[in-house]
Amino acid sequence: MSDVEEKKPRKKLKKFTRIVWTLFLAGIIGLPLYIWAVSSNLGNLFGELPSYSQLENPKQNLSSLLYSADGVILGSYYRDNRNPVTYDELGPNLINALLAAEDIRFENHSGIDLESMGRVAYGVLTFSPKGGGSTISQQLAKQLFSTRVISDDEKGKLEGITGFLDQLIYKTKEWILAVRLERSYTKEEIMAMYYNTVEFSNNAHGIMSAAKIYFNKEPKDLAIQEAAVLAGMQKQVNGYRPDKYPERSKGRRNVVMNQMVKYGFLSKEAYDTLKVQDIVLDFKKQNHVTGQAQYFREEVKKDLLKIGREYDFDLFADGIRVYTTIDSRMQAHAEKALDSTMRNVQRLFMNSLKESDGSMRDPWIDKDGRVIKDFIEEQALPRTQRYRSLVKKYGKDSDSVDYILNKAVPMKVFSWAGEIDTLLSPIDSLKYYKHFLHGGFMAADPHTGQIKAWVGDVDFKYFKFDHVRHGKRQPGSLFKPMVYAKAVENGYSPCDVFYDRATTVNIPGYEPWTPKNSDRTGYTGEAMPLKRALAKSVNSISAQIIAKVKPENATDMVKRLGIQSDIQPFPSMVLGTQDVSLHEIVGAYGTFVNKGTYIEPHFITRIEDRFGNILYSKVPQKKKSISEQTAYVMLNMLQETVKVGSGRRLDWEYQLLVRSDSNQIGAKTGTTQNSSDGWFMAVTKDLVVGAWVGGDDRAIHFKNWAQGQGALTALPIVGRFLQKSYDDPEVNLEKGYFPLPDELDIIIDCPRFDILPDTRDSVARDSVIFEDDIYRPY
């Protein structure tokens, strides 16, 4: 062989060696330079990476939680339904399931698992994929931060070398972030962050929501097979949903449990037992129209949005903690009391619509009991948002408006027997819903103003309007105690005697006012002490009281007691002819129990950020409105309603023992003249309770006063609530007396009723009242 021929292989070897060394040195020098260029976004070519500050405080949408006074989570507000947990709250089953399924060497690597990456590379080169190589830290980095240079929409259009480079840069940034996360957090913190970040479908963001929604458990309480279901979903969240694809999810669960056997987290015997079992869900999809206290939660949300603007927090993303005054046990009793009562009242109402020939009349009637013609078309429909939107779009006289409103469409409608799938036109749907009566309920601690129970209506999904704070209606006789309080303040005694006779009050510039009694039976001429007149709600005597104290003074008293609605100083105000809310009435009656001091009813105590720092504390408004003596006298008078008036059912039906020596309860009913509104208020030494029942419109009501009076419609809500609350040892609502004031120089015991003069045969039928009409038998 010639020298030339011998040199050729040597030259090739040298050339190959130079190429290898060049590539090797280029890799050693170029790889760090490449990683540095990506991490520093050299020339703005690679897209920015999050700073270390951002890594330490990653921005996530966290659910804000609403707590009851007894520590129960009533609900949450969120964009993403995510409630973070700590590592200790995960429990071993979730941790082991995730390690076995996703990253068994999690404890040993620093964010990148070289062994897994090598396995993946080998699988790619040999066209036999061996699974993914992403560690838990890498997956967390991908969940927390967007690392793509281009958008996901543009990504699908990339081909060839451009697509390869994009994927390379994307993975490089993911590796860099994974390593940085490992440097910034402990392994336990990364595990918890992962479970708090990932999604599980069904609006479940994070493991806390997922455990609650799928199994109704805390994460640490999940069984092995349940933890395997949730850990296995991360391979393909929607594809392995146990509620939608149970068999597919079961197969994936078994793969995870088999991995747990492989790595020593589960015995083979246990696996063999568990793998044949079907997935057992306790599925409770969470949204804003389910759960406890829906109306209350919605009203709190409105206030929180206002507070958030002032105190700079995002209710739907910042994970704040809102602590409220609501007692979850009382709330449950209130919701059940309103539900059971309204079912019965609705049944009675529907029966009252039956005519003698068996037909059903419409419920909208005028003051004479006649059905109002075209009520829906001319009164109810124009008030709806849908009608106004259609008119705005097409014009009032357009055929399109009429066509859309009368076209039947599939819909679900409310019924007391459960949801009904049906076909109805919008106008027929409106007619259907106008047949339902509605209710509201509120209970508060009179000494603190803290609201303990709040029910805004019968069903939040179908009736969003809240009748506690926003449903202002005529309170009827509920207003009388507030006017009588002015009379007591002026020196009148509960034992002062008045006469039930026609009473005319002259009003300058207006027609004389002569109110009738509520039962419309005329005037008896009976002489009765003031407390008895209040208990029996005698309108003629109330007219005498308003004439003596003067309407403007009575209006001032009403405002002092806490009524914020605009009450005009007309004599008829004593009969509750001007609109107020249940929220206001409960606050006003609380003044009587709280020794004359009004405290603003409220439902938020404090707001904390997710780290426990206090953002807001509620300081309720309070003011001294009346003397302690006047307040106590009014409590004494209200007790007469339960003894001889329309509140007697609290004793003989609900067994509240108000006639015994163990308890005192005051009460008052309220019914508007045409029975559109039925009210009932009760006061105990530690609680003020109120309820309202009525139609959606004032024209929708029982045909006669006796059927629609508050003693029949609203009282049972209050009675059932108090009965259950007293009987519930966890509520700890004690019976007892109203405490006596230090000074009491007004006579409240009226033992000489038997010597009252009998004036029934000589009643002056049309007399205007005078001061010397009062008879004092003491």
Side-chain angles (χ1 to χ4, degrees), residues 63 76 78-83 198-215 229-230 233-234 236-246 249 281-288 290:
S63 299
S76 56
Y78 51 79
R79 291 190 187 92
D80 300 333
N81 185 17
R82 178 182 290 109
N83 299 309
V198 293
E199 298 182 22
F200 295 87
S201 194
N202 282 307
N203 203 23
H205 296 259
I207 192 62
M208 173 64 84
S209 297
K212 287 286 187 181
I213 289 173
Y214 289 107
F215 299 106
V229 168
L230 297 181
M233 287 178 71
Q234 294 314 302
Q236 188 181 354
V237 175
N238 288 318
Y240 290 115
R241 278 176 50 180
D243 61 310
K244 193 172 183 179
Y245 307 109
S249 179
L281 299 177
D282 187 359
F283 187 72
K284 296 184 182 299
K285 195 166 185 177
Q286 295 179 354
N287 55 51
H288 296 300
T290 59

Side-chain angles (χ1 to χ4, degrees), residues 395-630:
K396 185 175 182 180
D397 299 323
S398 171
D399 291 339
S400 297
V401 175
D402 185 67
Y403 173 77
I404 294 171
L405 291 176
N406 286 280
K407 181 184 178 182
V409 294
M411 64 176 66
K412 290 181 182 289
V413 296
F414 169 82
S415 85
W416 280 108
E419 286 183 331
I420 299 174
D421 287 299
T422 186
L423 280 171
L424 284 177
S425 68
I427 198 165
D428 286 335
S429 171
L430 181 61
K431 290 178 181 178
Y432 173 78
Y433 279 118
K434 289 295 181 183
H435 284 73
F436 287 98
L437 295 181
H438 302 268
F441 176 91
M442 177 174 149
D445 183 332
H447 307 297
T448 63
Q450 294 187 353
I451 296 170
K452 294 301 177 183
W454 178 305
V455 189
D457 203 355
V458 296
D459 189 289
F460 184 73
K461 181 177 180 180
Y462 289 97
F463 306 105
K464 294 292 193 294
F465 187 78
D466 177 78
H467 290 282
V468 173
R469 190 156 66 167
H470 303 293
K472 292 190 175 185
R473 300 288 284 261
Q474 294 179 354
S477 295
L478 289 189
F479 242 51
K480 290 175 181 175
M482 290 183 258
V483 178
Y484 279 46
K486 182 59 184 175
V488 172
E489 189 174 67
N490 286 359
Y492 288 92
S493 163
C495 298
D496 287 344
V497 176
F498 288 74
Y499 301 94
D500 175 18
R501 59 186 174 190
T503 300
T504 298
V505 180
N506 291 320
I507 310 171
Y510 294 89
E511 291 291 325
W513 179 61
T514 307
K516 297 179 180 179
N517 285 329
S518 58
D519 56 11
R520 298 178 182 272
T521 58
Y523 311 101
T524 65
E526 180 182 356
M528 62 183 73
L530 200 57
K531 63 159 58 176
R532 185 67 59 94
L534 180 62
K536 291 186 173 295
S537 214
V538 182
N539 288 346
S540 64
I541 295 179
S542 295
Q544 296 171 43
I545 294 297
I546 192 68
K548 291 181 182 299
V549 304
K550 306 303 180 187
E552 57 272 21
N553 295 326
T555 300
D556 174 71
M557 171 60 74
V558 165
K559 291 180 179 179
R560 279 193 276 152
L561 291 172
I563 300 298
Q564 298 176 351
S565 295
D566 184 23
I567 305 299
Q568 296 299 310
F570 295 119
S572 60
M573 65 167 288
V574 71
L575 303 185
T577 56
Q578 301 180 52
D579 292 353
V580 294
S581 70
L582 178 60
H583 186 271
E584 292 175 280
I585 292 286
V586 171
Y589 273 63
T591 306
F592 297 142
V593 186
N594 196 36
K595 300 181 179 181
T597 297
Y598 169 78
I599 297 185
E600 170 195 13
H602 59 283
F603 44 56
I604 296 174
T605 57
R606 72 184 188 279
I607 302 170
E608 297 178 357
D609 66 17
R610 61 193 180 103
F611 303 110
N613 301 309
I614 296 178
L615 302 175
Y616 169 87
S617 292
K618 176 65 177 179
V619 180
Q621 298 178 359
K622 61 172 62 178
K623 61 181 178 180
K624 188 66 175 178
S625 300
I626 56 178
S627 70
E628 184 177 350
Q629 176 176 250
T630 299

